[in-house]
Amino acid sequence: MSATSFLRRLFGRGDGIDQRTSYLVSLCESLLGARGETSGAAIAREALAVYKSLDENAREQFFDVLTKDFSPAPEAVGQAADVYRYDPTPESLIRLQEAVEPLRQELFRRLNMAPGATAALVEMRRLVLKGMAKHPHWKVIDHDLMHLLRSWFNRGFLKLERIDWHTSAMVLEKLIEYEAVHAIQGWPDLRRRLDSDRRCFAFFHPQMPNEPLIFIEVALTRGMSASVQRLLDMSSSVESGTADSAIFYSITNCQEGLRGISFGNLLIKQVAEVLQRELPHLRTFATLSPIPGFRRWLQRTRGQLGAGADAKDHIALLDHIEKPDWHANDVPEPLVKLLQQLCAWYLVNARKGEEPLDAVARFHLSNGAALARLNWLGDTSQSGMDRAAGMMVNYVYRLAGVERNHERYFRHHTVVASRAVAKLARECPLASQPPASAEA
Amino acid sequence: MSATSFLRRLFGRGDGIDQRTSYLVSLCESLLGARGETSGAAIAREALAVYKSLDENAREQFFDVLTKDFSPAPEAVGQAADVYRYDPTPESLIRLQEAVEPLRQELFRRLNMAPGATAALVEMRRLVLKGMAKHPHWKVIDHDLMHLLRSWFNRGFLKLERIDWHTSAMVLEKLIEYEAVHAIQGWPDLRRRLDSDRRCFAFFHPQMPNEPLIFIEVALTRGMSASVQRLLDMSSSVESGTADSAIFYSITNCQEGLRGISFGNLLIKQVAEVLQRELPHLRTFATLSPIPGFRRWLQRTRGQLGAGADAKDHIALLDHIEKPDWHANDVPEPLVKLLQQLCAWYLVNARKGEEPLDAVARFHLSNGAALARLNWLGDTSQSGMDRAAGMMVNYVYRLAGVERNHERYFRHHTVVASRAVAKLARECPLASQPPASAEA
Amino acid sequence: MSATSFLRRLFGRGDGIDQRTSYLVSLCESLLGARGETSGAAIAREALAVYKSLDENAREQFFDVLTKDFSPAPEAVGQAADVYRYDPTPESLIRLQEAVEPLRQELFRRLNMAPGATAALVEMRRLVLKGMAKHPHWKVIDHDLMHLLRSWFNRGFLKLERIDWHTSAMVLEKLIEYEAVHAIQGWPDLRRRLDSDRRCFAFFHPQMPNEPLIFIEVALTRGMSASVQRLLDMSSSVESGTADSAIFYSITNCQEGLRGISFGNLLIKQVAEVLQRELPHLRTFATLSPIPGFRRWLQRTRGQLGAGADAKDHIALLDHIEKPDWHANDVPEPLVKLLQQLCAWYLVNARKGEEPLDAVARFHLSNGAALARLNWLGDTSQSGMDRAAGMMVNYVYRLAGVERNHERYFRHHTVVASRAVAKLARECPLASQPPASAEA
Amino acid sequence: MSATSFLRRLFGRGDGIDQRTSYLVSLCESLLGARGETSGAAIAREALAVYKSLDENAREQFFDVLTKDFSPAPEAVGQAADVYRYDPTPESLIRLQEAVEPLRQELFRRLNMAPGATAALVEMRRLVLKGMAKHPHWKVIDHDLMHLLRSWFNRGFLKLERIDWHTSAMVLEKLIEYEAVHAIQGWPDLRRRLDSDRRCFAFFHPQMPNEPLIFIEVALTRGMSASVQRLLDMSSSVESGTADSAIFYSITNCQEGLRGISFGNLLIKQVAEVLQRELPHLRTFATLSPIPGFRRWLQRTRGQLGAGADAKDHIALLDHIEKPDWHANDVPEPLVKLLQQLCAWYLVNARKGEEPLDAVARFHLSNGAALARLNWLGDTSQSGMDRAAGMMVNYVYRLAGVERNHERYFRHHTVVASRAVAKLARECPLASQPPASAEA
């Protein structure tokens, strides 16, 4: 009788647990018990197959068992820690580490022997994250998976690949599926985005060759783009002249199960290097980015515009943008000015703790980019209007300044802005706050 | 001033520590402190370059610092363990895990961002292992590296590749360099070993594409090979008929820095599967293996042959093999018989704890192979004569029996042997011991 | 002054010839004159670029010049032939061959040094073929191009590649563009045609890596397919059971410029071999083919149905199919029978010279396939109804019989048909003709 | 009965012809007769196998049959030529071309359907060339093979590939086998020649992926190399500084069967382009070349040194170099000077027809290179001393001048030489001849 058929009899604990869950748990125990690795790979394969076949209920039971039965024993941990506390030798440290590491981690490592297991564990973490609100104790599973995935998806293992019309349909359809910032409207749209005046790059992991982890879309343009609709226009003519700017207009994380493992920063920098090498005449590397939190913040902040005559005028102006299609008609010049000042102020000064309030700003500024330019009506889509009154912003990555900006950001949370943006912020009615440092 | 140039000033602690070591340590601290990952990759690259440039003395200092300054603080660990002991919540477990994990691990993970770092960390472990006898406290470095490497060199990430004359010279010269069992005498010898009646396979890791981790050499023969010299003969004619046996005659671990992470078992099985698919007429998968511990054991065991007349005769016979070139002349039939009986007894019954005493036997038997046949004068090289009086053994991997044998081995340490070998062992003068179980 | 700039002055013969044509002709002369090959490649590149930039009128002029000025001189040819006629030595043969070969061939060979030239010459032949009705003297260009292309696209140089969802979008969109038999309705349709119960293969030439020369679409089914609409239904469920039949339901030549160089026959056979190896349980390799000439022939043949009472009935029945949507309602059983008999008779007996009248039948039967089954309402598309009253036919490729059938076809133009089809043909009212030979 | 088995009975014409030859001829006839291409590929495969199995005698018979029976019929050719002479229509031209083309060509094209046939036909031409002295009538086979091979090995189909230590052993051992100019002394020598300060490139054809057609060896050096022994020294240290020169020190045609199809010129230029792109700081592209005909010419020319006192001195000096090892001791300064003058004169002025007498000079000068520098004792190997009294020469490829030099060479056979070389030639005692044009 083989290990597997023997174990098949073990399931059915009679405690209300699904038979398949029970069988899976017994496989996991068996996998952990396997000495030598002969049977290991076969058990891992079987365990993975069973896991994939679980329905939601059975899967929740399995996660519960993982939480409860595969954590370290408190008493044993305490004793090992006491030994180390009073006698911190190499041996006592190693014994402590072994006592503290949950069996879950070893289980996941052994499961990873099965073909396709890496992708399955990424997917498992996605489900754990999704269920954590309801099952807060799953946090330990998340923690262990995160620990392993962070190690396996270490930057050193990632491959940067260019995506273009030579790429397989299998990968291309994933772009269509995953792109969230500016949804891809089918294959003709995708084809335009991969034309000769565009670039697209993604990171892949050797174990998941058809699954992009993150991808970025770039437009090669003359001058810094100010409108995303113009970039997305499928019928726009292909730029044939010599571009001087690379505009990063969309960056998409594809794997929810890798949340918290950051690839974007590295991607932007590697792509900038690759482009600079391929196209030495490129002068500007910048984003065309949304400002997702502006109107929400504005809603909360209106009240602080004060009580003077000016303030009343301002508030009256701002009422304007509550009307549908307000931007389709003539927009009063003072409103344009006011919104730009407020938006600049928001980006430069609004904080959450010490960091910028706007999530996209936080990402690019912490990477070492600088606020370069506000773009009036840069995104007139519904969501662009709803979230930022149509404004967009360019963050510029200057190769020479990135490292210094990054350090200043991390030491002092300095927001580096162009003169123009800094000026707008200073002229904002809210400007009693300290100004952002201007860029040298 | 950039992070790096700033740090460059920090080195030189004035405590007898090499300036480069000191600079490297400051880079490591800086790497651990890097928030965001912008500067991280650059620091990792610099740190790796500095590390590689250290001389032996400076490197030893660095390892000492890693041991001393990058281990968890005993008191903090103790407190976190106490909390978990008395309140084993997910949060307290996570905090405990964080307290226990040495900074070294995070350091190594971050170093791995630099190109070539994986190979460098494998090499670092080799040096740590080599120095551990003299520096036993380095054990914690070994433990942390082992932890990471085991995760990164997880089976799921390995690629099986066939090695033949189409393989790059870069990889082929590594085979010449690493082969330890039966040294390769230059390129013509290698070419014969890769001819059409031979196969060679290796595991590779995506991060080390030109570095085999382990490789195996196979001869396709009619019948089970009995002499390794015949296989290694460069001028032997290439078997053109239909082979019925695949003989694994050499298996070599290439990376000392991955010691303890076992690939051999998996390699043998995957290779057997690949060969069976390619050559469906293969009937036998077997090794032609050395018996490294036989004569050492025999030396210790002579005394137990007893005091009767037979025993005297036996001891007189055994004196024979102390003479140089004894096997070149006629060998008395009784000596042949006695040595075979003793060798069979040794393989079947001699133990170290519960496991077989012979290291090669231990490896193959625990993998699920069976002792198939002793080969008189199977290896007449100096080392073959010195270690095993010229005998070799075939371990056979029967696909149907491997899993069962493996289980019996792990439960009862059963040594599975063919009738012929079992009979030899039973007829041995030493045979008051219980016989090995015969193969069904 | 470089060769090129010097030549640039030569154009403009002042004889009504387009300046660019004139310049191109001078480049061609220069290319033929280039000794050594140094300047050759550069001139070829320039010539190709100029050729591609010609408008239709200039191109026609160029073809006229190619016809007139690059043919061998009749008198010189005659003399060389006379020498060979009276003194057939190796030398005189070689001199004759040189005299007869048009300069055009050498010109095309030298043009082929330029990157992309092979594809450009294929395209040139397409244009020559298209214009030949109006310019019959271009026939010599066609003949020379055909000579070269047949040599360059020699079977030995073709690569069979599987096309699936891993294939690049660049190639996949060509399938959508070229498929003529059953047009592909965009990417979702294509995706269904490449799903796990389908196969697609194409031939490629090393010089045109993104250009399929010919491709074939295959459905893996249980039993021989009878309806193409069912195969093409995008929402059909994917066959997950074990298919026993491979149905070739579409084969498309992609390069009009390679007309007359036949790849289809070879493709079908290589694909059948590949599939048999991959899926050993396949029992039947057959097409599901249109019968493009049936109704046209029927129209012409009606009159021969005779004058008896039966004949009148038959003609009355046949009137039925002139009504629109006749097949959507109940079709009288006698009509079904009559059409099948006539169609079988058509396929088996209708001839053009000694070969079958139906072009598709001619192709498959000359390849060695056999007529296997008529499928009533196998293709209810407009074109299927118009051309064949909705009928389709399966030609079966029996590996054992293909070579024999092929030989019989070429010796005696034997049409090999199944018993069922042969019987239908015999029962046809037209059957005073000799019956087709039944299949053994 | 299949075509093949039927044909198998045909062999044995009873006219002294080897049975296998006879069988092969019948296969060839059958291959030419095959309509459709179904049986074609199978017959081609069989014919090729039989051809390869022929012994020398049978092969000679086969070549004789090819010569005799597969040439066009003189009378038919004459008639077709007459028709074309008096009525040069497209149709009559096409018919003439068909009449003149030997069946051999179609036979070779059809043979090429078999796997491996291209390489086999290249090899066939090698044997034909080798036997042509004895069998001059085989010239027509050579001519037809040359015609086809020139078409198939058209530059457009060649792939330039870098050869280095990542290349397969299969290809590398071919380099060792083929290198004729400066023989490779085994693998360590090869490894040095592929080290980081060297480059090697080869052309491949898609049908012969493991067979280099031609390869070139390049050394990256500081300054123009003057001694080939220094380059070939296996223990020389690897140049790590920044090289400014690429020295082509060996170029080898690998396929005797492609004699007369020139790849070298193209190879040098493509390699220069690739190197310039990879290493933008390279300033000089030059060869370090032998002067194979110098001493032979000198032997014949001594007599023309005249009768004056100077002439006697010169002749006395020249006697010096007849002694063995003359260069190992002090060489009189006047002899050094005289030999250099004579060698310069030889390279610049000695002719064969209008072209340079020296074969290597002819090759590089016709490619557009210029004579740059004579190197005293540049090659002290036995062959270097025997052929050129130890001298070597650098030909320089100046990208800007190559095309112009090439044209001047082909128009006026101008030998472009540096001032230094031109001066040496002018100072030569033989210098009553017109001087070479100096380089601008």
Side-chain angles (χ1 to χ4, degrees), chain C residues 423-437:
Chain C
K423 182 159 176 283
L424 280 170
R426 273 198 312 272
E427 292 168 356
C428 175
L430 293 169
S432 47
Q433 280 81 348
S437 74

Side-chain angles (χ1 to χ4, degrees), chain D residues 228-247:
Chain D
V228 78
Q229 271 74 35
R230 225 172 305 142
L231 286 185
L232 297 178
D233 180 1
M234 262 187 265
S235 61
S236 62
S237 61
V238 174
E239 190 77 44
S240 64
T242 309
D244 58 11
S245 304
I247 305 301

